[in-house]
Amino acid sequence: MASVSAYRSGHEVRTVAVIGCGLIGGMWAAFFLHRGLDVRAWDPAPDGEERLAAFVEAGLSDLDAVGPSGCERGRLIWCATIAEAVEGADYVQENAPEKLPLKQSLLAEIDAAVPTDVVIGSSTSSFPASQLQAECANPERVIVAHPFNPPHLVPLVELVAGEKGSPAAVDAAYAFFEAIGKVPVRVAREAVGHLANRMSSALWREAVNIVAEGIASVEDVDRAIRFGPGLRWAVEGPHMLYHLGGGEGGLEAYLDHLGPAQEARWATLGTPRLDAETKRKLVEGMQAEVAGRAMGELTQRRDRLLIALLRLMAEDEAGADKKAGRGAQ
């Protein structure tokens, strides 16, 4: 397998091909442009160019609200074919719908068209990397690079090599995403749903179970997370929070003293089915929580609060850097 130096990474990436320009691809394009990268885009939809322009305009507006990137905005180039879009690309981000045969065929076509030192990342939310690589002649450079929605605002990118993927390709992608302000994580062993979606699914499973069992309403479940653990999760991850919960003894003290109680709670968690009655309770509960608000209004509210949180986190990081003497040289 190739070494990391064999792949274009970090600041070597100046042009990105975005293949598939729906919501995810469109917001990827906005983020790349905001970070000063040129974007060559392709989508099969007849109105793909106009739709992409709308996504990019909205995404750039959000990103400008978060703060300046310090870069001159990149150029957006609409392309008529996949071959044209990947020409001259230093990195490729594929964002086709979650249909495995479609993604396999598309990735194989991309793989055949770009130099072997270019990493190809897929935005898949669930497919293992090894399945995506199945039809590629150079599977070692085809990896999962999964963003969290909305991808232009949420920093996380999950990187998975899979059975045939090269760790060096993941390293190169890691360096690239870190250089443009994303927060990449390596998923050491592929699993359906990768990392963050698996944890999100585990939480929602119990949220559904609570509603199905009549323990609490849809709205009260959401309120409990928003104004309880959700606030802490925006600051630290679950392991660190339990470490802090252990006091001076940290995680070891927590496990020694409260581990049995935690196991007892785990034993009571449910495994609900999304049958007709459960779906009815969820949908009716959500209608009550939405209270007539339009989807656009809800989305704008989510993004407005995310922007405010990101600005606060950036200010905190800048303050920490200044205190530690890590400011610009």
Side-chain angles (χ1 to χ4, degrees):
M1 290 187 177
S3 66
V4 65
S5 61
Y7 295 106
R8 304 179 201 182
S9 66
H11 295 290
E12 295 174 326
V13 178
R14 302 306 311 156
T15 300
V16 175
V18 173
I19 306 300
C21 299
L23 175 61
I24 301 301
M27 291 309 185
W28 262 130
F31 183 82
F32 292 139
L33 290 166
H34 191 258
R35 291 304 188 270
L37 303 171
D38 290 339
V39 172
R40 301 179 65 84
W42 174 87
D43 189 279
D47 63 342
E49 185 174 6
E50 292 76 18
R51 186 176 57 169
L52 174 60
F55 282 137
V56 166
E57 181 180 5
L60 288 174
S61 177
D62 287 344
L63 289 162
D64 285 340
V66 174
S69 67
C71 304
E72 182 178 347
R73 191 161 295 172
R75 297 177 300 149
L76 178 60
I77 303 164
W78 179 257
C79 300
T81 65
I82 293 176
E84 182 184 349
V86 301
E87 184 178 355
D90 302 305
Y91 173 80
V92 180
Q93 187 72 36
E94 171 271 315
N95 318 282
E98 286 288 281
K99 299 177 180 179
L100 184 58
L102 171 62
K103 281 186 174 287
Q104 289 174 328
S105 175
L106 191 59
L107 287 165
E109 184 175 352
I110 295 168
D111 178 47
V114 298
T116 56
D117 65 340
V118 173
V119 174
I120 303 168
S122 174
S123 292
T124 181
S125 61
S126 59
F127 294 132
S130 58
Q131 294 183 5
L132 299 172
Q133 299 158 349
E135 296 181 11
C136 295
N138 303 285
E140 66 278 356
R141 50 80 170 269
V142 178
I143 65 172
V144 168
H146 173 242
F148 223 62
N149 195 37
H152 65 305
L153 293 178
V154 179
L156 176 67
V157 183
E158 299 174 313
L159 304 176
V160 193
E163 295 177 3
K164 298 180 180 179
S166 168
V170 169
D171 289 345
Y174 192 104
F176 164 55
F177 285 117
E178 197 169 47
I180 60 174
K182 285 291 187 181
V183 178
V185 297
R186 295 180 177 88
V187 181
R189 183 169 66 86
E190 64 181 5
V192 175
H194 318 314
L195 193 162
N197 271 341
R198 290 178 69 88
M199 292 188 287
S200 296
S201 294
L203 171 65
W204 196 48
R205 179 175 67 179
E206 187 54 29
V208 169
N209 181 64
I210 287 171
V211 173
E213 295 294 322
I215 297 170
S217 68
V218 168
E219 183 171 6
D220 280 342
V221 169
D222 284 356
R223 285 168 63 86
I225 293 299
R226 285 186 61 214
F227 296 103
L231 289 173
R232 299 191 306 186
W233 291 334
V235 177
E236 297 289 358
H239 296 308
M240 178 60 77
L241 288 171
Y242 278 108
H243 177 66
L244 295 174
E248 289 300 320
L251 183 59
E252 183 175 7
Y254 179 89
L255 294 173
D256 287 343
H257 292 93
L258 295 173
Q262 185 72 262
E263 287 186 324
R265 284 196 295 274
W266 287 344
T268 68
L269 299 181
T271 53
R273 305 297 303 176
L274 293 175
D275 54 25
E277 178 62 13
T278 300
K279 287 190 285 186
R280 182 190 65 78
K281 290 181 179 179
L282 293 172
V283 172
E284 289 181 358
M286 181 49 59
Q287 289 173 342
E289 184 176 350
V290 167
R293 290 173 292 175
M295 185 63 74
E297 179 184 352
L298 295 170
T299 301
Q300 290 172 6
R301 177 180 176 276
R302 177 201 65 188
D303 292 351
R304 183 176 69 252
L305 293 175
L306 277 174
I307 289 167
L309 178 59
L310 287 167
R311 293 183 66 170
L312 180 62
M313 294 172 73
E315 291 171 6
D316 179 74
E317 186 70 21
D321 286 346
K322 184 177 180 180
K323 184 176 181 180
R326 295 192 298 261
Q329 301 297 316

